[in-house]
Amino acid sequence: MNAKELTTQTPDQLRDSLVALKKEAFNLRFQKATNQLENTARMRAVRRDVARIKTVLAQKAADAAK
């Protein structure tokens, strides 16, 4: 997921994506704790995607406030 894709989405779509990624992050942490995690790089990718979505949401909120 890149920033250009995210800027074309509506805030509601972004929030839905954020919820899904947070659930995935929880499941990945749970798998790591039980030593069942196979792809450790996915944890980093999910964290970065969450940060990207939060950044785009903040930018859209700042634009709307102007």
Side-chain angles (χ1 to χ4, degrees), residues 13-49:
Q13 290 172 327
L14 290 171
R15 286 186 201 98
D16 292 341
S17 299
L18 186 61
V19 168
L21 283 171
K22 286 190 174 207
K23 285 181 183 178
E24 184 179 356
F26 173 79
N27 289 332
L28 289 171
R29 284 195 314 270
F30 195 84
Q31 288 176 8
K32 183 179 179 196
T34 58
N35 292 325
Q36 294 176 347
L37 184 62
E38 293 178 11
N39 185 5
T40 56
R42 183 67 186 143
M43 290 181 72
R44 181 178 183 182
V46 169
R47 275 198 324 266
R48 288 180 177 207
D49 286 344

Side-chain angles (χ1 to χ4, degrees), residues 1-15:
M1 201 178 311
N2 60 18
K4 287 184 182 182
E5 293 174 3
L6 295 176
T7 55
T8 60
Q9 294 182 359
T10 65
D12 290 334
Q13 290 172 327
L14 290 171
R15 286 186 201 98

